[in-house]
Each structure stands twice: as C-alpha cells, then as structure tokens.
Amino acid sequence: MALTFPTQTAFPLCINTRLHLLHSSPHQSLYSISEHKAVKLKIEMAFPTIFKLFAVIYLLNVCIASRATTNSLVEDIQTQLLKYHKGALLQGRISVNLIWYGKFTPSQRAIVADFITSLSPSSPSQSQPSVAAWWKITEKYYHLASSKKPSLSLYLNKQILDDSYSIGKSLTQNQLVDLASKGEQMNAINVVLTASDVAVDGFCQNRCGTHGSKSVAVKGKNQKFAYIWVGNSATQCAGYCAWPFHQPIYGPQTSPLIAPNNDVGVDGMVINLASLLAGTATNPFGNGFYQGTADAPLEAATACPGVYAKGAYPGYAGDLLVEKTSGASYNAHGANGRKYVLPAIYDPSTSKCSTLV
C-alpha cells in the first residue's frame, strides 16, 4: 500500500534511512528519490564552485537539525496505535507463490524461499531470535480485529520461473499485476520478484516495492488475492533499496554492513519483502490497520523506517548481531541455517517499534 511518510522533509539530503523503501502502492509514491536528484541539480546550478562549500555547510546544518526533528516525529508515531478500518484480513492457510521474472541464480531463489519457509513456527528448528518470532508480532493485530481467535498461516507453494523476459525488460504496474495473476487465485499472496536488469515504473524513483490486491472471478464468485512486487536493486539503486548493505547515495557515508547471505541485492529484497508481507497481513485490501489516508497509509512495518535493532537512528540500522566468521550483520535466524536482517514492526500492544534484538 501507499505511504508518504511525514518525516521526509526532515531529511532533505542528509539521511538514508529506509524512508524511500517504505514501499508505495500502485497509486502513490512515498519518498521521492527524484526529489533528491532535483535538489542536488539545483544546488549545482545555483552555486558556482566558489560557493559550493557554503552549500555543503548549509546541508550539514540541516542534517544536524533534522536528527532532533526525527526523534520527535518517531515519538509522536509511537504514542498512537494504527487504526483498524474494519476491513477483512487474511485468514487461515495462505499460500505464498513466488514469480521470478528475469535471471536469478538457484542460490538467490533459495535465499527468498527459505525466508518464506522460516515464517512458519512449524518450519525446521530455528535458533533465537527467529524469523518466526518476528512474524508472530503481526498476530497482535488479528487479536485486536476480532474477539475470536483468528489465525494466519503462510506456507511456500509454487515457484514460477520466467527467465526469458516474456514481456520485456521494462514493466508497467499493470504488467506486474498480470505477472502476479500467474499465481494462485484464492487464499494466496503472489509475490513478483524482478531481476536486477528489469526496469519497473517508479522503481528507484519513488519505490522499491508494492503490495495490493486484485479481484478475480473464481467458479462464479468474486474473490481477491493479494500480491507483492519487489525489485532487485543491485545494479540500479542499491544505495536506496538495499541499504544498509550498500553505502547510501546521500547522507553520512558510513561503511555498509555485510549482507548475511552475501548478496546485497537479494538480502535487500528480503528486507523489502518482509516489510510488504507485514503490510499485506495487516492491511491486505486497503481497509485494515493503518495510519493516515487510504491511498497513503502508514503500515505495520513502514511505521518504523530504518529501524532494525535497538539503538537505531537515522543513518544507523541499530545494534545488530554480527556473525563471527564472516562479519555479516543479522537480527534473525531462519530455516536451513539462514540469517536475515528484518525490519522493526509497530507493536500495537506497546505502541512502539518492536525489534528482535
């Protein structure tokens, strides 16, 4: 779903949290990467070389001031629950179907497939903190929505490969939905994953992914399935869509973290997919849990931008765990010995961003 996060004006050119990764809907951009480029161009045109130093000093001052503004805004968010708009949530056993569009290696596909498998508490034993424990936070929204004991269980179902680029290497939103339609039509979340050489409308400009739903007729009855799209940003905009595993394009140039599966693009995709899955579970059809307007909602994970562990602040992902041998950062264990970095989820029982570490 859409998100225009209010703190975007607090970080004009000086911060690379995941504000731009807070996955916009088909109808709404959230944090315009193009705005950064436009402002940067205006500065370069407006200031001759002799004055560029003054422009840099000005921007640094804005960065320092924005830190206090950001903290205030985050505190404001954390004093409010995401409002429930009385819409339907996903119920029961829901299949997750992966539609791979473009070239992905078997090892790349395994990283994502293992993540989906890890969401289930019945998946192969996981050390703590676990992906399953992270996902369990979304159950709290279901308890708020119903006095009964609703349940949602995700399982990995089909994987569909389209490595021949059947509809080209430049896709529109409608084409993404068409690709998502190749998955199951009922009780499903169909996930389209586009390769690093595939351009998508709005990708790297105002979004890194999307979630939504589509109505279809199944056996004479109107049904809906949920869909998600996430792009591999490795060669197009890793500084935007794969942070903190890539050095940010703007803001403090801190060293990037080592990706837990040694794949900057796909590990970045997992972060974005996780955020979108949390949004899909709690706001699948645009009338579930969110803050703000329906066409620009703040959702379960996007309410906590750039937060992956305790101690996080703009430009710093938090005090993540570090694998001793590889030096890779992570905050969750998954199936088959995997490790992942997952975003914080807004916990409605505490009105705070909840992290695993």
Side-chain angles (χ1 to χ4, degrees):
M1 300 304 294
L3 170 64
T4 302
F5 191 62
T7 60
Q8 61 183 5
T9 54
F11 317 112
L13 291 176
C14 56
I15 191 71
N16 187 48
T17 64
R18 284 191 110 71
L19 295 182
H20 53 281
L21 305 184
L22 305 187
H23 323 289
S24 66
S25 75
H27 312 293
Q28 183 77 14
S29 65
L30 44 95
Y31 181 65
S32 178
I33 293 171
S34 59
E35 284 182 14
H36 280 314
K37 294 178 180 177
V39 172
K40 181 173 180 290
L41 179 60
K42 288 178 181 178
I43 290 174
E44 290 175 346
M45 293 178 65
F47 293 92
T49 302
I50 193 170
F51 293 116
K52 284 187 178 180
L53 178 60
F54 295 99
V56 171
I57 293 171
Y58 166 76
L59 292 174
L60 286 174
N61 287 335
V62 173
C63 289
I64 294 168
S66 73
R67 176 71 58 80
T69 305
T70 303
N71 291 338
S72 174
L73 287 165
V74 170
E75 288 172 3
D76 181 62
I77 289 171
Q78 293 183 345
T79 61
Q80 306 173 46
L81 289 173
L82 301 184
K83 182 180 178 182
Y84 180 43
H85 294 78
K86 308 302 181 183
L89 302 181
L90 300 178
Q91 298 283 346
R93 277 176 56 80
I94 301 294
S95 68
V96 178
N97 305 281
L98 305 179
I99 298 97
W100 299 93
Y101 188 81
K103 303 289 186 182
F104 287 92
T105 66
S107 61
Q108 288 178 319
R109 296 197 298 269
I111 293 170
V112 177
D114 285 344
F115 167 65
I116 299 300
T117 300
S118 302
L119 294 168
S120 172
S122 61
S123 65
S125 60
Q126 304 174 35
S127 300
Q128 296 298 326
S130 68
V131 173
W134 172 84
W135 183 247
K136 193 172 179 63
I137 301 171
T138 62
E139 290 183 6
K140 297 182 180 183
Y141 289 89
Y142 282 70
H143 297 319
L144 287 175
S146 175
S147 58
K148 300 178 182 179
K149 291 185 177 180
S151 63
L152 170 63
S153 175
L154 302 184
Y155 67 96
L156 178 63
N157 190 26
K158 294 180 180 178
Q159 294 197 59
I160 300 169
L161 307 184
D162 186 345
D163 56 7
S164 64
Y165 304 90
S166 62
I167 52 177
K169 291 188 175 183
S170 181
L171 305 182
T172 65
Q173 178 62 36
N174 288 338
Q175 287 175 314
L176 291 176
V177 178
D178 289 342
L179 287 172
S181 299
K182 293 183 177 183
E184 297 293 323
Q185 303 290 294
M186 293 177 58
N187 300 321
I189 301 173
N190 297 332
V191 180
V192 177
L193 303 116
T194 51
S196 59
D197 58 348
V198 176
V200 175
D201 281 356
F203 186 40
C204 295
Q205 296 176 8
N206 53 34
R207 60 180 183 167
C208 299
T210 289
H211 84 82
S213 63
K214 182 179 180 181
S215 297
V216 291
V218 179
K219 297 180 179 180
K221 294 183 178 180
N222 189 46
Q223 302 284 348
K224 286 183 178 180
F225 67 84
Y227 69 83
I228 290 172
W229 158 71
V230 176
N232 186 339
S233 65
T235 60
Q236 297 186 54
C237 59
Y240 292 114
C241 295
W243 183 85
F245 306 129
H246 189 281
Q247 199 165 18
I249 296 197
Y250 297 103
Q253 295 301 294
T254 54
S255 298
L257 303 180
I258 298 175
N261 296 287
N262 199 33
D263 191 311
V264 169
V266 176
D267 277 303
M269 292 179 82
V270 169
I271 289 178
N272 298 330
L273 175 57
S275 180
L276 290 166
L277 277 170
T280 299
T282 56
N283 188 30
F285 309 118
N287 53 6
F289 286 92
Y290 65 87
Q291 268 186 37
T293 60
D295 60 348
L298 202 62
E299 297 178 324
T302 56
C304 303
V307 178
Y308 302 98
K310 291 178 175 62
Y313 55 81
Y316 178 62
D319 301 327
L320 292 162
L321 302 174
V322 177
E323 215 281 322
K324 292 181 180 179
T325 56
S326 67
S329 296
Y330 69 99
N331 61 5
H333 292 270
N336 298 320
R338 295 283 184 190
K339 294 180 175 70
Y340 298 99
V341 171
L342 303 178
I345 294 180
Y346 183 85
D347 187 333
S349 68
T350 63
S351 297
K352 294 181 179 180
C353 293
S354 177
T355 60
L356 288 172
V357 298

